């Protein structure tokens, strides 16, 4: 019988988390096998190739900080990097650190089972290949499990269908076509203005309007780039020590109602002009106090009315059901103005829901729309989807699906009781999607790397979250969230976008500084809240 290959660590995913994790593990002298479902590196930026796909964190900050030469040599061409540039950056990092040789591409992991007697994870790929590893690190991303709603008749549509999160690699032209976009979250809001420029007719099928602020994207000014590169280590340190999200956003110092109305308006206006998520940092209490939040929301509502010429369309585009920022705020280029174009029609699915997809388009209760293409910008099974799509089996045959049937539970968003030696990078219960993702990825990768180094030095072979520590962390995550307006919105942060998904506020809202402090304290105390043990059997080079 063929012997099963065994490595120290298996890493699932080769996006920004998987790439850096692989690099870090190699530096520790560990043997690593990475698996990646795509044909190349890049993760979310590999799959999301839809028109307008762009990061909404500034390029100078949405980039690795772990290597000074890397951050000095790479040149971003715009304030917010577009998807092709981010993908090129991921490719550059893979080349620079020679990472591809340990990544098996086009390989999906079907299951991961902890073999208790051997203290090994047994990984099985979709093709049936088997691998053993002492540690399993899930770098599977927070927004990687695309969600396409099951609409009656979808399979009979004769035109082309796309999901924004699984866009073809070859160029897609909508020139002269009738196109329907379903969904007006961040992806739809980025894609709609560009599709509108190309298509003969664009129909936007909107169920819930979202708040969007202008990106104010621009080509990277040389002086701005220089100002960052001159001082990169100090600026990165400031983001680590004095920001809530891991990005420097020039946070305001006052509560909304501490400032007279006229000055407030000027401040909002200045933030609107500055662009992007800076808007939500104008005041300290926008996500804590409903009356304060309303001031910001009303400002954006007025902006929508001032941009969109047709008052009825402006009304439909105006969100009324949630606090601004409680759902992920969208960042756009020309979104609202796109609805002034004669070739763009907004269809309100609240008053006129989709009944079915037909052979030639979409039929709502009131009308049939002939379409050449349908773009599903319908989002993701966020934060837990990619993990639960695999069969992950821990101690005593416990599956992650069962463990998380009432919502995700973890210690620090990194480990789950009952699943020894399994780490989740930016897992639920960590700042993750509420932070600059690359920033949080680096923190997790470094913490996990240090942890594995510690185990090695102390000749320990397993680490597992203790149930009591997990319980306490889950309670803390919920308690902190409940002090904010976040859990009140029906967002993908709470799982509300997936029918049947338990409603739990998943990311940690306490800020990256408090979170890092907690993680560092846990490590300094010899990994308090974790059980560390020396297993009887250990087969790999680390033992
Ligand atoms: P989002 O933000 O989850 O948006 C999905 C959109 O699709 C949203 O407008 C949904 O409306 C709509 N949707 C979903 N299902 C349906 C059905 N069945 N019918 C009509 N409309 C539907 O996903 P995105 O990809 O835009 O953004 C995800 C994140 O990626 C984003 O926050 C950034 O962090 C990057 P609903 O609100 O449910 O009424």
């Amino acid at each position: 019988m063929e012997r099963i290959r065994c490595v120290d660590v298996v890493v699932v995913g080769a996006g920004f988390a998987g790439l850096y994790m692989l690099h870090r593990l190699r530096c520790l002298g560990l043997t690593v096998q990475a698996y990646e479902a795509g044909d190349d590196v890049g993760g979310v930026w590999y799959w999301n190739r839809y028109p307008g796909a762009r990061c909404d964190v500034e390029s100078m900050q949405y980039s690795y900080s772990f290597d000074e030469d890397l951050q000095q040599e790479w040149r971003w061409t715009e304030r917010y990097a577009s998807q092709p540039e981010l993908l090129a950056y991921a490719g550059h990092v893979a080349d620079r650190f020679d990472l591809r040789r340990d990544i098996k591409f086009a390989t999906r992991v079907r299951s991961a089972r902890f073999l208790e007697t051997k203290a090994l994870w047994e990984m099985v790929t979709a093709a049936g290949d088997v691998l053993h590893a002492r540690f399993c690190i899930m770098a599977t991303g927070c927004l990687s499990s695309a969600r396409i709603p099951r609409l009656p008749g979808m399979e009979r549509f004769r035109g082309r269908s796309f999901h924004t999160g699984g866009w073809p690699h070859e160029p897609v032209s909508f020139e002269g076509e009738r196109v329907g976009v379903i969904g007006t979250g961040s992806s739809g809001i980025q894609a709609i203005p560009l599709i509108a420029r190309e298509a003969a007719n664009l129909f936007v099928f909107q169920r819930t309007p979202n708040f969007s602020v202008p990106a104010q994207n621009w080509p990277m000014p040389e002086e701005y780039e220089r100002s960052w590169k001159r001082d990169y280590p100090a600026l990165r340190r400031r983001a680590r020590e004095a920001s809530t999200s891991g990005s420097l956003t020039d946070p305001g110092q006052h509560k909304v109602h501490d400032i007279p109305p006229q000055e407030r308006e000027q401040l909002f206006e200045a933030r609107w002009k500055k662009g992007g998520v800076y808007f939500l940092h104008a005041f300290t209490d926008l996500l804590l106090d409903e009356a304060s939040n309303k001031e910001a929301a009303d400002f954006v509502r007025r902006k929508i009315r001032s941009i969109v010429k047709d008052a009825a369309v402006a009304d439909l585009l105006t969100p009324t059901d949630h606090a601004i920022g409680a759902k992920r705020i969208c960042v756009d280029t020309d979104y609202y103005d796109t609805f002034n174009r004669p070739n763009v029609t907004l269809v309100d699915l609240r008053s006129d829901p989709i009944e079915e997809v037909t052979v030639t388009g979409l039929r709502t209760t009131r009308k049939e729309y002939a379409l050449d293409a349908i773009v599903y910008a319908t989002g993701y099974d966020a934060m837990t989807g990619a993990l639960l799509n695999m069969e992950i089996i821990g101690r005593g045959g416990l599956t992650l699906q069962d463990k998380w049937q009432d919502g995700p539970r973890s210690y620090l968003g990194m480990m789950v009781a009952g699943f020894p030696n399994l780490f989740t990078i930016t897992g639920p219960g960590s700042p993750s999607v509420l932070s600059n993702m690359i920033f949080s990825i680096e923190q997790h990768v470094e913490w996990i790397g240090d942890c594995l180094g510690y185990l090695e030095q102390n000749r320990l072979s397993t680490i597992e979250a203790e149930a009591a520590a997990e319980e306490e962390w889950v309670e803390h995550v919920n308690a902190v969230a409940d002090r904010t307006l976040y859990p009140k919105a029906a967002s993908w942060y709470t799982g509300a976008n997936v029918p049947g998904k338990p409603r739990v506020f998943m990311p940690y809202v306490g800020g990256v500084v408090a979170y890092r402090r907690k993680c560092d304290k846990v490590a300094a105390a010899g990994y308090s809240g974790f059980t560390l043990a020396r297993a009887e059997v250990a087969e790999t080079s680390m033992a």
Side-chain angles (χ1 to χ4, degrees):
M1 215 176 91
E2 204 181 311
R3 201 165 183 276
I4 293 172
R5 193 162 77 89
C6 197
V7 292
D8 291 321
V9 191
V10 61
V11 175
V12 186
F16 284 126
L19 288 177
Y20 182 33
M21 193 74 246
L22 171 53
H23 174 62
R24 194 81 181 183
L25 293 167
R26 273 204 203 144
C27 294
L28 287 167
L30 301 175
T31 56
V32 190
Q33 175 66 65
Y35 288 124
E36 166 55 51
D39 289 333
D40 203 353
V41 298
V44 73
W45 302 111
Y46 172 88
W47 298 105
N48 279 262
R49 296 164 188 248
Y50 62 85
R54 189 179 289 288
C55 188
D56 54 17
V57 177
E58 285 193 3
S59 325
M60 297 313 294
Q61 307 202 53
Y62 188 82
S63 48
Y64 289 121
S65 69
F66 71 84
D67 186 285
E68 179 61 12
D69 291 342
L70 171 66
Q71 67 181 358
Q72 289 297 334
E73 80 202 4
W74 184 262
R75 300 208 60 184
W76 299 104
T77 64
E78 292 175 275
R79 179 184 187 190
Y80 299 98
S82 64
Q83 175 273 334
E85 192 157 280
L86 285 156
L87 190 59
Y89 176 66
H92 171 73
V93 171
D95 290 340
R96 194 180 196 290
F97 299 102
D98 186 22
L99 299 176
R100 284 194 178 84
R101 68 184 152 89
D102 285 329
I103 306 170
K104 199 153 185 244
F105 292 103
T107 303
R108 216 169 253 287
V109 170
R110 190 170 68 205
S111 67
R113 174 193 290 272
F114 187 64
L115 306 176
E116 287 182 63
T117 52
K118 298 181 174 176
L120 292 174
W121 279 93
E122 180 167 89
M123 312 298 292
V124 182
T125 70
D129 293 336
V130 182
L131 176 84
H132 284 174
R134 289 187 56 208
F135 297 94
C136 174
I137 302 179
M138 294 298 182
T140 41
C142 293
L143 294 157
S144 49
S145 177
R147 221 183 62 74
I148 303 187
R150 263 184 244 117
L151 301 176
M154 275 173 84
E155 60 299 330
R156 62 178 178 232
F157 179 57
R158 287 221 202 95
R160 295 177 301 161
S161 300
F162 306 92
H163 188 279
T164 46
W167 205 259
H169 290 201
E170 57 280 3
V172 174
S173 167
F174 294 114
E175 203 66 53
E177 293 194 355
R178 297 159 302 180
V179 182
V181 174
I182 303 176
T184 51
S186 298
S187 305
I189 281 176
Q190 287 188 331
I192 283 161
L194 290 172
I195 297 176
R197 281 193 221 156
E198 228 182 63
N201 297 100
L202 172 63
F203 299 92
V204 176
F205 295 91
Q206 172 190 271
R207 194 161 64 183
T208 317
N210 271 302
F211 288 101
S212 189
V213 294
Q216 313 290 15
N217 187 32
W218 16 255
M220 181 67 70
E222 273 187 33
E223 181 39 40
Y224 189 65
E225 181 187 357
R226 265 202 301 275
S227 71
W228 271 90
K229 290 191 171 175
R230 211 182 293 134
D231 236 359
Y232 242 145
L235 291 166
R236 301 282 202 183
R237 196 175 327 111
R238 226 173 82 207
R240 269 201 300 278
E241 291 169 1
S243 77
T244 50
S245 65
S247 296
L248 298 177
T249 52
D250 191 13
Q253 302 302 317
H254 301 284
K255 291 182 178 171
V256 171
H257 293 97
D258 290 347
I259 303 273
Q262 207 187 338
E263 261 180 61
R264 223 183 272 161
E265 188 76 4
Q266 283 165 1
L267 252 160
F268 282 132
E269 187 63 39
R271 294 273 165 166
W272 182 268
K273 290 216 170 79
K274 192 167 178 149
V277 293
Y278 288 89
F279 187 79
L280 285 179
H281 297 268
F283 293 95
T284 53
D285 60 344
L286 288 182
L287 279 150
L288 299 173
D289 182 89
E290 283 187 27
S292 299
N293 186 282
K294 187 171 178 306
E295 296 293 324
D298 284 346
F299 176 87
V300 176
R301 291 182 185 120
R302 288 193 293 277
K303 283 288 182 194
I304 298 171
R305 281 187 205 110
S306 75
I307 300 168
V308 180
K309 297 201 174 98
D310 182 323
V313 175
D315 271 355
L316 288 176
L317 287 167
T318 301
T320 52
D321 72 334
H322 62 277
I324 185 169
K327 278 175 136 183
R328 172 87 178 197
I329 194 161
C330 303
V331 177
D332 73 272
T333 299
D334 297 336
Y335 177 63
Y336 293 118
D337 196 31
T338 296
F339 292 89
N340 293 326
R341 296 177 66 102
N343 67 332
V344 176
T345 306
L346 182 65
V347 181
D348 172 33
L349 297 180
R350 292 273 171 210
S351 62
D352 185 17
I354 295 172
E355 294 249 295
E356 60 171 351
V357 181
T358 64
V359 174
T360 53
L362 270 178
R363 197 165 59 74
T364 63
T365 44
R366 282 196 218 123
K367 208 173 156 184
E368 182 149 0
Y369 295 88
L371 300 171
D372 301 300
I374 300 176
V375 174
Y376 293 90
T378 45
Y380 298 86
D381 183 353
M383 307 204 67
T384 54
L387 294 166
L388 296 178
N389 283 344
M390 290 174 276
E391 185 165 48
I392 301 178
I393 306 167
R395 268 190 209 288
L398 176 68
T399 63
L400 195 62
Q401 278 92 344
D402 279 345
K403 166 98 191 190
W404 284 4
Q405 62 182 334
D406 297 324
R409 308 179 65 74
S410 79
Y411 183 33
L412 302 176
M414 267 193 283
M415 294 199 91
V416 181
F419 297 79
N421 290 3
L422 176 89
F423 296 87
T424 52
I425 299 181
T426 63
S430 74
S432 58
V433 292
L434 295 180
S435 66
N436 170 351
M437 283 302 287
I438 295 196
F439 174 94
S440 283
I441 282 168
E442 286 193 324
Q443 189 233 336
H444 271 189
V445 165
E446 287 160 17
W447 192 94
I448 294 168
D450 290 350
C451 174
L452 298 195
Y454 178 89
L455 296 179
E456 192 182 12
Q457 270 166 20
N458 291 282
R459 301 191 61 74
L460 295 160
S461 39
T462 58
I463 175 164
E464 179 177 354
E466 288 167 7
E470 180 179 274
E471 184 63 33
E472 206 179 304
W473 182 249
V474 170
E475 270 173 29
H476 174 64
V477 169
N478 289 330
V480 179
D482 287 343
R483 279 183 233 138
T484 72
L485 303 178
Y486 281 107
K488 295 193 172 141
S491 68
W492 57 256
Y493 296 143
T494 64
N497 65 325
V498 179
K501 189 166 172 171
R503 292 268 189 121
V504 173
F505 190 78
M506 294 183 283
Y508 177 59
V509 77
V512 296
V513 174
Y515 177 75
R516 181 185 294 265
R517 208 178 292 135
K518 167 76 181 172
C519 293
D520 290 349
K521 204 169 140 198
V522 163
Y527 297 90
S528 54
F530 291 98
T531 302
L532 280 61
R534 175 150 179 74
E536 298 295 302
V537 189
E539 287 187 0
T540 68
S541 58
M542 240 184 110

